[in-house]
Amino acid sequence: MNAKHPLVLTLAAVIGHAPALRNGFVLDDQILVTNNPFVRTPAGLIQLVSHELFVASAEPRLVPYYRPLSGLLNWLSFQLVGASAPLQHALNLALHAGVTLLLFRALSAHGVRSTIAFGGALLFAVHPATAEVVAYIGGRQDLLGWLIGLSAIALAARADGLRRAAALSFGASFFGALCHELFLFLFVPLALLAACGEREGTTTRRAGLAALAGGALAVAALLALRARLRLLDFDLHLSVLHVARATLAVALRLLKDACLPSDLATNVTLPLPSVAVVGLAALGALVAATWLVRSVARRQRRMLGPVLASLSLALLSALLHAGVAVKYGFISDRYAYAMLVALVLLGGATLESWLPLAAAVTSSPLVTWLCRWGAVALTVAVTPLTWARDLNWHDETSLQLAMIADRPEDPESELAAGMLAYADGDLEGAYPHCKAYAAARRGSDGANQCIGSWLLTQQKPAEALLYLRPYALARPGKPSARRTFLFALLASRRTQEAAAIVQEWSRQFPGAPEVEEARRALAAQRR
């Protein structure tokens, strides 16, 4: 390994996302970090590690995401740099540089020559799709998880013995899942690496089974921990057929983000393919994967483990996010970060196994130039695209404008246009966009606050409650949601429901101005 490789990769990761240092806070950044009361005190740390991610935030929401290591990182970052946007973003850049270095290390540890490993990691460092995680402070959950995951993949090359294989699988899956639920199933690629590796004193099959056992134990331990803390249960009532259709849709979108990142967006609508298309796609993918695995096994069997592991990572990335697509009808292009990791690992192992076949043509000057400078040239070419996407994350307005410009036909663009007008106080201009979004996304409450507020201006409080109630109850920590919901209840003369809500929110949010105002208005109504 060239001693300059780590330095170059670190510089590429930082320079490739340097514009993000000028960004502010968007989406969940403020409620999770800068405005979160639990990151300010040692006592708050106990809340962060014992409650769901969004329950221990500035705006509590009932979601089953238990990510205490991510909460701990947010706490540490606030203790170190406070609410400084440049320094908070600098931490994300450092984490991304760490992931890039570990990706390079993981490839090298499994026998991929340094020139290939370096080229793949270099492209990953500046890929435009990585901006969805790096330029968004909330994306550090993924970054922290991949620091654990790629460390485990690199260490798997030296995890001799059944106990080490099981311990590595347990540790990576358990602690990875405490960063993000995506990493709960890290034991699958680790088991494939163990089963295909070269170990002394034990069979590879037994090592693979030991890794599977370690992963199963990690799942059991995590479920026991969740039960002990009385956390929310996951919504597992999903149709297998719907999940299969959504998995294909997610996989195609994430592959598109990796290969042609021309319209990256915060949320992307995913039409689900038909059952027939899913069947044909599954058959085609199985044939292609079988051919690739056999080809690699014939040429360089030591690359079989990395190939199988990376294929499983790609499949898990699509499968685990399919639930989001089924439930909400859209996904985030932020999920492409995991697909990029999988593709770089797959590409590195595949190239390494096919190099003997290409030896006959390496005398060509063009091939020689591409081998030496191709990755560098492509890195330089895509860096401006990455800078542009980083700048789109500057604030909420720039993010919504980019959504409208890049995906004008997407229903999510209707919501973006509605929210822009709503933020400016233009309810008349916001309402048509919000209504169009609600019609296209009937299962979503994303536009409910906008629609309900407009109905209040039309003196229709009872109708407004149909939109404001589910929105406020799902996001009770949002002052504007509490205010409009309580106003609608009082305007509709629903005093009993209003009294119950005021009593509950007085306990949850003591001293909240809108709740105290509603209490006084309720007392006046009863006189």
Side-chain angles (χ1 to χ4, degrees):
M1 179 179 67
N2 191 317
K4 294 181 180 179
H5 285 163
L7 176 60
V8 173
L9 291 174
T10 300
L11 289 175
V14 172
I15 294 173
H17 293 282
L21 294 172
R22 301 176 59 187
N23 289 354
F25 302 114
V26 297
L27 303 181
D28 301 321
D29 289 346
Q30 291 183 321
I31 67 172
L32 289 177
V33 184
T34 57
N35 291 343
N36 189 351
F38 299 110
V39 303
R40 298 174 182 271
T41 64
L45 181 59
I46 298 175
Q47 292 290 109
L48 289 169
V49 300
S50 60
H51 291 79
E52 293 91 344
L53 181 71
F54 284 100
V55 169
S57 72
E59 294 180 7
R61 303 176 193 169
L62 298 178
V63 290
Y65 301 150
Y66 179 56
R67 303 170 183 174
L69 292 185
S70 296
L72 173 60
L73 179 60
N74 289 336
W75 186 89
L76 288 172
S77 74
F78 190 85
Q79 298 302 309
L80 291 172
V81 303
S84 168
L87 293 178
Q88 289 286 354
H89 282 289
L91 174 58
N92 270 36
L93 265 65
L95 292 171
H96 176 58
V99 173
T100 301
L101 291 174
L102 282 171
L103 182 58
F104 172 66
R105 179 59 186 156
L107 284 166
S108 301
H110 288 281
V112 176
R113 66 193 63 190
S114 61
T115 52
I116 296 176
F118 174 74
L122 185 64
L123 286 172
F124 173 83
V126 302
H127 194 286
T130 60
E132 305 303 293
V133 167
V134 181
Y136 168 39
I137 289 173
R140 63 179 52 162
Q141 303 164 50
D142 302 70
L143 296 169
L144 185 59
W146 280 114
L147 288 176
I148 294 173
L150 287 170
S151 295
I153 290 173
L155 290 172
R158 298 183 296 172
D160 295 330
L162 301 182
R163 290 184 180 179
R164 288 186 179 182
L168 181 64
S169 182
F170 172 86
S173 297
F174 183 77
F175 291 105
L178 297 183
C179 303
H180 195 294
E181 292 73 20
L182 169 66
F183 301 97
L184 177 59
F185 297 97
L186 272 174
F187 67 88
V188 175
L190 292 175
L192 290 169
L193 287 170
C196 298
E198 298 177 357
R199 287 172 170 76
E200 297 180 2
T202 184
T203 64
T204 55
R205 181 176 297 180
R206 290 176 62 195
L209 291 174
L212 285 176
L217 185 60
V219 173
L222 183 67
L223 292 177
L225 178 61
R226 293 181 66 92
R228 175 72 176 176
L229 296 174
R230 298 181 180 179
L231 302 178
L232 295 172
D233 293 329
F234 290 108
D235 182 7
L236 299 178
H237 303 291
L238 300 174
S239 164
V240 174
L241 186 58
H242 272 74
V243 170
R245 295 169 64 197
T247 300
L248 176 60
V250 172
L252 291 176
R253 176 63 193 182
L254 299 186
L255 286 170
K256 191 266 179 191
D257 288 340
C259 300
L260 188 63
S262 58
D263 61 343
L264 297 169
T266 309
N267 293 326
V268 177
T269 300
L270 283 185
L272 300 186
S274 66
V275 177
V277 171
V278 171
L280 289 174
L283 179 60
L286 181 61
V287 170
T290 301
W291 173 82
L292 177 61
V293 169
R294 287 183 174 179
S295 172
V296 170
R298 284 197 308 268
R299 300 184 188 285
Q300 288 206 47
R301 188 170 182 82
R302 64 191 178 92
M303 289 294 110
L304 184 59
V307 166
L308 288 172
S310 56
L311 287 173
S312 71
L313 279 175
L315 178 59
L316 285 169
S317 173
L319 181 61
L320 293 176
H321 292 122
V324 176
V326 170
K327 187 173 182 178
Y328 300 109
F330 61 82
I331 64 166
S332 172
D333 280 335
R334 179 165 60 91
Y335 306 154
Y337 198 89
M339 183 63 76
L340 281 170
V341 171
L343 291 180
V344 171
L345 291 172
L346 178 63
T350 302
L351 283 174
E352 180 65 34
S353 66
W354 284 351
L355 271 181
L357 179 67
V361 295
T362 53
S363 58
S364 165
L366 177 60
V367 173
T368 301
W369 186 91
L370 287 174
C371 290
R372 178 171 296 183
W373 299 107
V376 175
L378 191 54
T379 296
V380 173
V382 302
T383 296
L385 299 178
T386 307
W387 288 343
R389 186 55 188 166
D390 282 331
L391 290 173
N392 286 338
W393 284 86
H394 182 265
D395 54 31
E396 295 282 356
T397 299
S398 60
L399 203 55
Q400 290 164 337
L401 289 174
M403 176 75 203
I404 296 168
D406 294 337
R407 298 185 59 80
E409 304 302 323
D410 196 309
E412 294 298 317
S413 292
E414 290 283 6
L415 181 62
M419 291 300 100
L420 283 172
Y422 183 82
D424 288 338
D426 181 12
L427 283 177
E428 289 297 329
Y431 177 74
H433 295 291
C434 294
K435 195 66 176 176
Y437 176 79
R441 187 86 73 238
R442 297 186 182 278
S444 172
D445 64 358
N448 282 13
Q449 177 79 356
C450 167
I451 297 172
S453 298
W454 181 83
L455 288 169
L456 286 177
T457 66
Q458 305 301 307
Q459 308 299 318
K460 299 177 180 179
E463 190 176 344
L465 281 174
L466 299 176
Y467 295 92
L468 297 175
R469 182 183 287 108
Y471 188 86
L473 296 181
R475 300 168 176 81
K478 199 167 188 176
S480 60
R482 295 197 300 263
R483 182 178 295 106
T484 50
F485 177 44
L486 288 169
F487 180 86
L489 284 174
L490 293 170
S492 302
R493 299 285 175 174
R494 297 177 182 267
T495 56
Q496 187 173 356
E497 183 180 358
I501 293 294
V502 165
Q503 184 177 6
E504 179 182 351
W505 283 351
S506 294
R507 290 195 304 268
Q508 284 185 270
F509 314 103
E514 66 283 345
V515 178
E516 294 303 315
E517 181 182 348
R519 186 194 301 279
R520 292 191 294 270
L522 190 60
Q525 278 190 0
R526 287 174 169 173
R527 292 194 191 105

